[in-house]
Amino acid sequence: MDINELKENYFSLFITDARDYLSQIVESLMVLENEMTNKDMIDSIFRAFHSIKGASGILEYHNLEKLTHISENLLSDVREGKISINDEIMDMLFKVLDYLEKGIEKIEKSGDDIDFENDLGIKFSVIEDKINKILNKKVISSKNVNTKKRVVGNVINEPEIIKEIKDKGYKIQIILKEDAMMKNVRLFLIYQNLSSIGDIIYSLPDIKKLEDEENEIEYEKSIVYIDSETDVDTIKKLALVSDVKEATVEELKRIEDLDLENEIKKDDLKESDNKVKTELKKNNAEKPKVIKEEKTKKAESKKVEANEKLNKKVKVKEYLKVEREKLDSLLNVVGELVIDKSRYNQMRIELKKLYMELIEKGIDKKELKKLFNFIDELKKLNKHLERESIELQKEVTELRMVPIKELFLRFPRAIKELGKRLNKEVEFEIHGEDTELDKIIVERLSDPLLHMIRNSMDHGIEMPEIRSKTGKNKKGIIKLSALNEGNDIIIKIEDDGAGIDSEKIVKKCIEKGIITEAKAKNLTKLEKLNLIFLPGFSTADSLSDVSGRGVGMDVVKRSIEMLKGRVEIDTEVGKGTTFIVHLPLTLAIINALLVQNNGNIYSFALDNVVTTVKVKKEDIEDVNGNRVSKLREQVVPIFSLDEIFNNKIDEEKTKKEKNIIDVILVKRGNSIYGFEVDSLLGQQEIVIKNIEGEYHKDKGISGAAVLGDGKIAIMVDLENLIEYYSARQA
């Protein structure tokens, strides 16, 4: 198989695995930063570097291979105890991680290997020199380096290998098919698979021989000794790649387990011997039984311990990697099923109407019994279909869900670097990282969250000397958290900094001509704070490469809204600021309230709807050209969908104008708004589709849905709609 075929067959898998390994490195580095002697984390990072290196070499991304190779060398010396982890090594590992992320991104987009100078802005020799400089500062650890030979003559010294087992040891023997192509590559892939679940203690042939491009020997057989908690079946599956003729896995007993078994046998013999002696000396006075009982208990205890150690199995979850396009396609099919379910229900309703019409026409019920039974059976089937489709929808939606951890773990490094640049000390806390969210949303959240975190660092957290003067700890705190709230995910970015002065915001807006002084007087505190989301706004007194260029918070707001979410601010001057981001669990299928207005059907996301009320026409007043009504002990603005969307008012509608109108109350932030509609159609699950063309440009429209009867429902974008309508009224 030539390199083009290899890339064609394994490129997607390479990118997916590389992303997983990067997440593994990030997570391990976060722990290692606070626990620099944590061997498990060091081994985890080493294995990730090693796996990326191997896969890069096979697909001939040699620059990426070189980068991971020298990083692996650094960690190899750490693992052997020749050098200890310190701040200098941590900084180097974080830099390598940056380079790897950029490299993988470049390969994914273009298929080409990284160019150190053009893509990373640094020569490889500079990176190599920095790592070699660290390696030349080696300090011999007090830990003894294992010098015992694993091979004596041409024979594998298995007892010495067994002594190195920490968890459970396995001996794997592999035989490739005689006609297998690229035998060394096959064996290398097996080694790579095995290294992902444990440590390879010894292998024949050695992995370096398999990696050596100048090695002309092709190996058909291999023996691998591995230290792993995994079970035999899982190891066998990893070893049985294509072109493997046979793979056998033998579990090895550790030396201490063998010693323990011998000890138990000795105890058993002693116990038997005591019984014989007791029988022979039964005429003599009985010896105290306490000692014998204690020995028996010890022996039994050791038996149990030995059995637990020898029989302990670790249950390993098995995962199947699937292309996201396939999941998206499956979700689309489920979406169509949801639409069909609505159509099915609509047909049942229409049949029921027909049944009632026939009865009104005087047809005997007995003659319509078959029709009635058919409608009743349809009702039962519809309920069953509804249950099954809801379950299927739930399962498919969950397939797209990923922990938000992979996103959150990108930010500690950014905080650390920003802290150095700004000369600020910050403690960064992460909470709720296991909260799950649609993968598409997670991928699109990175930039807006990063900007809010940078904003907290630059504008929020004060300089250490200023914090000391105000009685605060020199080290500021930024918290990033996520939690489930109904069908929403709430993400918070909190800081204990200076807070946001709403009056300062207003002053800046007036200076920039964004608002007039007259308009500023009528703004609430919340409306003043929301001015930071206007394009071009900034309170920074000077420009920096961190913030203060007037580009950012408006983009943050727009990015969150594109994900069907919203962002709020809670702040107190001198105490700190919290950005609160509300997001749906998924973007595809939502519960909606359907309404009709002037012949059009509109849908409101049910999560935003507080309630629906009937309002007398005389209870709606005109205040400075704005329609308002007192509802629920507060003054609520009443908006007209006809005015917003410039709908032509139907003459028949004007003639039949009602004295009592239906109003939907929705919540945005801490405020309540009302929307006047002609009628309420009810609640329904709908599949949102994006709108292209002219409608896509309209304010207040975020998408559309096909209903059960084939009609189209326009999805109302509340954020833009309220903002747009408020601006028109002002």
Side-chain angles (χ1 to χ4, degrees):
M1 192 182 291
D2 65 20
I3 187 60
N4 292 326
E5 285 180 287
L6 274 173
K7 285 186 177 180
E8 187 177 341
N9 292 331
Y10 295 110
F11 181 78
S12 296
L13 184 61
F14 167 74
I15 294 296
T16 304
D17 284 349
R19 292 253 175 241
D20 289 343
Y21 290 130
L22 289 177
S23 296
Q24 181 179 321
I25 293 168
V26 172
E27 196 168 341
S28 301
L29 282 174
M30 291 302 103
V31 177
L32 194 61
E33 198 168 24
N34 297 315
E35 303 171 23
M36 291 191 180
T37 57
N38 192 317
K39 188 179 181 304
D40 290 339
M41 296 302 105
I42 294 167
D43 289 345
S44 172
I45 298 166
F46 178 86
R47 282 198 297 268
F49 281 147
H50 182 74
S51 299
I52 295 173
K53 180 189 82 170
S56 303
I58 290 169
L59 296 184
E60 295 188 1
Y61 295 121
H62 295 306
N63 284 341
L64 195 67
E65 182 186 15
K66 285 197 299 184
L67 179 60
T68 45
H69 180 67
I70 59 166
S71 307
E72 188 184 45
N73 288 346
L74 176 60
L75 282 177
S76 182
D77 277 18
V78 172
R79 293 174 89 207
E80 291 174 16
K82 296 177 182 178
I83 193 169
S84 300
I85 291 283
N86 54 32
D87 289 338
E88 185 181 17
I89 291 176
M90 287 302 300
D91 286 343
M92 190 70 239
L93 290 174
F94 274 120
K95 282 177 183 174
V96 169
L97 176 61
D98 272 336
Y99 300 149
L100 283 175
E101 285 178 339
K102 289 174 183 174
I104 299 299
E105 189 176 348
K106 161 78 181 293
I107 291 170
E108 184 177 15
K109 287 180 178 177
S110 67
D112 297 329
D113 198 4
I114 51 169
D115 183 300
F116 286 100
E117 289 189 62
N118 292 331
D119 298 326
L120 306 181
I122 189 170
K123 291 182 178 179
F124 174 73
S125 59
V126 175
I127 302 172
E128 193 173 30
D129 288 345
K130 286 181 179 179
I131 288 178
N132 286 334
K133 189 178 177 183
I134 294 171
L135 291 173
N136 289 333
K137 295 178 182 177
K138 291 178 185 175
V139 178
I140 301 297
S141 168
S142 59
K143 179 181 175 184
N144 292 325
V145 179
N146 185 8
T147 57
K148 293 176 181 176
K149 294 182 179 178
R150 294 166 175 173
V151 179
V152 178
N154 292 322
V155 181
I156 294 174
N157 190 356
E158 199 165 273
E160 292 299 335
I161 292 172
I162 291 173
K163 284 181 182 179
E164 297 183 44
I165 297 170
K166 293 176 185 175
D167 296 313
K168 288 195 296 185
Y170 297 93
K171 176 182 178 181
I172 303 114
Q173 298 185 72
I174 300 150
I175 302 174
L176 297 177
K177 293 177 182 177
E178 292 179 7
D179 59 348
M181 295 180 67
M182 302 180 73
K183 292 183 174 65
N184 289 3
V185 172
R186 297 288 175 205
L187 290 176
F188 182 86
L189 285 171
I190 294 169
Y191 285 15
Q192 188 177 333
N193 287 344
L194 295 173
S195 68
S196 69
I197 52 142
D199 290 323
I200 293 177
I201 301 169
Y202 178 75
S203 63
L204 187 68
D206 184 79
I207 195 164
K208 289 180 180 177
K209 289 183 179 178
L210 298 178
E211 290 180 298
D212 188 359
E213 293 178 5
E214 295 179 6
N215 181 19
E216 295 179 358
I217 302 171
E218 281 213 321
Y219 302 95
E220 291 185 359
K221 296 179 182 179
S222 172
I223 297 176
V224 182
Y225 291 87
I226 185 171
D227 184 6
S228 172
E229 290 185 345
T230 314
D231 56 61
V232 171
D233 291 339
T234 303
I235 292 173
K236 198 164 185 177
K237 284 178 184 176
L238 292 173
L240 283 170
V241 300
S242 58
D243 289 334
V244 170
K245 181 181 179 182
E246 186 182 342
T248 59
V249 182
E250 176 190 346
E251 186 172 347
L252 303 170
K253 291 182 179 178
R254 300 185 303 172
I255 295 298
E256 52 261 49
D257 291 336
L258 294 170
D259 290 343
L260 186 56
E261 284 183 341
N262 291 332
E263 199 175 332
I264 291 167
K265 286 174 184 175
K266 287 176 187 175
D267 283 331
D268 287 339
L269 288 170
K270 284 179 184 177
E271 193 178 336
S272 292
D273 191 43
N274 285 338
K275 284 180 182 178
V276 172
K277 285 178 181 177
T278 303
E279 288 296 321
L280 290 171
K281 298 177 181 180
K282 59 184 175 182
N283 294 327
N284 296 336
E286 282 192 5
K287 292 181 180 180
K289 295 179 182 178
V290 178
I291 297 171
K292 192 168 80 174
E293 286 176 2
E294 284 181 358
K295 282 187 176 182
T296 305
K297 285 179 181 177
K298 283 182 182 177
E300 289 297 329
S301 175
K302 285 173 182 175
K303 278 182 187 177
V304 171
E305 265 183 57
N307 287 333
E308 283 180 356
K309 285 186 177 181
L310 294 170
N311 298 326
K312 186 180 177 184
K313 296 282 183 185
V314 179
K315 189 175 180 182
V316 179
K317 289 183 179 179
E318 292 188 19
Y319 294 92
L320 185 67
K321 290 182 179 176
V322 181
E323 290 178 19
R324 190 170 69 189
E325 287 77 8
K326 290 183 179 178
L327 284 180
D328 292 343
S329 177
L330 182 58
L331 191 62
N332 285 334
V333 172
V334 173
E336 293 301 321
L337 181 62
V338 171
I339 294 169
D340 287 344
K341 181 192 73 176
S342 299
R343 286 176 178 164
Y344 193 76
N345 191 48
Q346 187 68 32
M347 286 170 63
R348 184 186 65 81
I349 292 168
E350 293 298 326
L351 275 172
K352 194 173 181 180
K353 282 182 183 177
L354 176 62
Y355 174 78
M356 296 307 295
E357 286 173 8
L358 291 172
I359 288 175
E360 286 174 7
K361 288 180 179 179
I363 298 176
D364 195 334
K365 283 186 179 180
K366 290 180 181 179
E367 294 181 24
L368 296 173
K369 190 175 180 181
K370 284 186 180 180
L371 178 60
F372 178 82
N373 290 340
F374 179 67
I375 294 169
D376 191 53
E377 191 62 30
L378 273 179
K379 184 179 180 181
K380 291 175 186 176
L381 285 170
N382 187 60
K383 283 186 177 179
H384 177 74
L385 178 63
E386 187 171 5
R387 282 196 304 271
E388 294 299 316
S389 62
I390 287 171
E391 186 62 30
L392 180 60
Q393 176 195 327
K394 179 186 171 187
E395 292 295 330
V396 174
T397 302
E398 285 180 358
L399 285 175
R400 288 162 53 107
M401 305 290 271
V402 294
I404 205 166
K405 180 194 289 184
E406 66 177 63
L407 173 63
F408 278 15
L409 288 177
R410 298 178 193 176
F411 301 127
R413 195 160 23 106
I415 290 283
K416 189 176 181 181
E417 290 173 1
L418 280 171
K420 286 180 181 178
R421 284 160 62 187
L422 298 169
N423 295 316
K424 294 180 180 181
E425 296 178 43
V426 175
E427 184 178 324
F428 187 57
E429 297 179 11
I430 290 177
H431 303 279
E433 64 270 27
D434 291 326
T435 304
E436 292 191 333
L437 193 58
D438 192 310
K439 185 169 178 64
I440 294 175
I441 297 177
V442 170
E443 289 172 353
R444 295 177 188 173
L445 265 181
S446 181
D447 287 343
L449 286 187
L450 179 60
H451 188 88
M452 284 186 277
I453 288 169
R454 288 162 68 99
N455 201 70
S456 293
M457 279 289 293
D458 196 21
H459 294 297
I461 301 296
E462 311 95 328
M463 296 300 290
E465 57 272 19
I466 295 174
R467 290 180 66 87
S468 295
K469 286 178 184 177
T470 55
K472 292 183 179 180
N473 191 315
K474 281 186 177 181
K475 186 180 279 189
I477 297 173
I478 293 178
K479 295 179 185 178
L480 178 62
S481 62
L483 59 94
N484 285 92
E485 196 173 275
N487 290 321
D488 281 359
I489 293 291
I490 311 297
I491 298 173
K492 293 182 180 180
I493 300 102
E494 305 172 63
D495 68 63
D496 69 339
I500 301 174
D501 187 341
S502 59
E503 296 306 321
K504 184 179 178 182
I505 291 173
V506 172
K507 187 179 177 183
K508 282 282 183 182
C509 283
I510 293 171
E511 287 175 6
K512 291 174 176 282
I514 296 173
I515 59 169
T516 62
E517 286 189 39
K519 185 177 179 180
K521 289 178 183 178
N522 298 321
L523 294 176
T524 63
K525 183 185 175 181
L526 181 62
E527 288 170 333
K528 289 175 182 177
L529 289 173
N530 283 333
L531 292 173
I532 71 168
F533 294 116
L534 295 176
F537 174 81
S538 174
T539 57
D541 296 318
S542 60
L543 298 181
S544 72
D545 59 348
V546 177
S547 60
R549 298 187 178 276
V551 178
M553 292 310 289
D554 61 316
V555 177
V556 167
K557 183 172 181 286
R558 195 158 58 247
S559 299
I560 298 297
E561 286 173 354
M562 285 176 70
L563 296 173
K564 308 291 187 289
R566 67 181 190 278
V567 58
E568 300 170 0
I569 307 169
D570 184 21
T571 187
E572 188 176 345
V573 175
K575 295 291 181 68
T577 300
T578 302
F579 289 102
I580 307 162
V581 179
H582 297 256
L583 290 162
L585 283 172
T586 183
L587 298 175
I589 302 170
I590 67 164
N591 284 318
L593 177 66
L594 300 180
V595 302
Q596 190 159 355
N597 195 77
N598 202 22
N600 297 317
I601 298 174
Y602 299 92
S603 59
F604 290 78
L606 207 59
D607 290 338
N608 295 324
V609 177
V610 178
T611 188
T612 60
V613 294
K614 291 190 179 293
V615 181
K616 291 180 181 178
K617 197 172 179 183
E618 59 262 29
D619 289 340
I620 298 177
E621 300 177 25
D622 188 296
V623 178
N624 297 325
N626 301 322
R627 298 167 74 222
V628 298
S629 181
K630 191 172 183 181
L631 302 168
R632 296 192 163 198
E633 301 303 318
Q634 65 177 350
V635 176
V636 176
I638 305 294
F639 300 155
S640 165
L641 292 176
D642 289 330
E643 287 184 32
I644 294 168
F645 296 115
N646 296 316
N647 293 333
K648 291 182 179 179
I649 309 297
D650 188 8
E651 290 182 12
E652 289 297 318
K653 179 181 174 181
T654 307
K655 288 176 186 176
K656 296 177 182 178
E657 207 165 88
K658 299 179 288 185
N659 289 325
I660 297 178
I661 60 174
D662 288 305
V663 174
I664 303 171
L665 296 183
V666 298
K667 189 173 184 179
R668 179 178 179 260
N670 297 319
S671 302
I672 301 289
Y673 299 87
F675 287 88
E676 177 188 347
V677 297
D678 292 345
S679 60
L680 306 172
L681 300 180
Q683 178 186 336
Q684 190 173 313
E685 239 177 19
I686 59 173
V687 181
I688 301 299
K689 302 286 185 183
N690 290 327
I691 296 178
E692 302 297 333
E694 289 301 314
Y695 278 107
H696 181 66
K697 301 173 185 176
D698 284 359
K699 288 276 186 182
I701 296 178
S702 63
V706 180
L707 303 179
D709 56 3
K711 292 179 181 176
I712 303 296
I714 297 166
M715 188 69 199
V716 172
D717 184 344
L718 284 176
E719 294 294 313
N720 277 323
L721 195 143
I722 291 170
E723 186 180 300
Y724 178 65
Y725 198 89
S726 299
R728 280 182 58 179
Q729 287 189 332

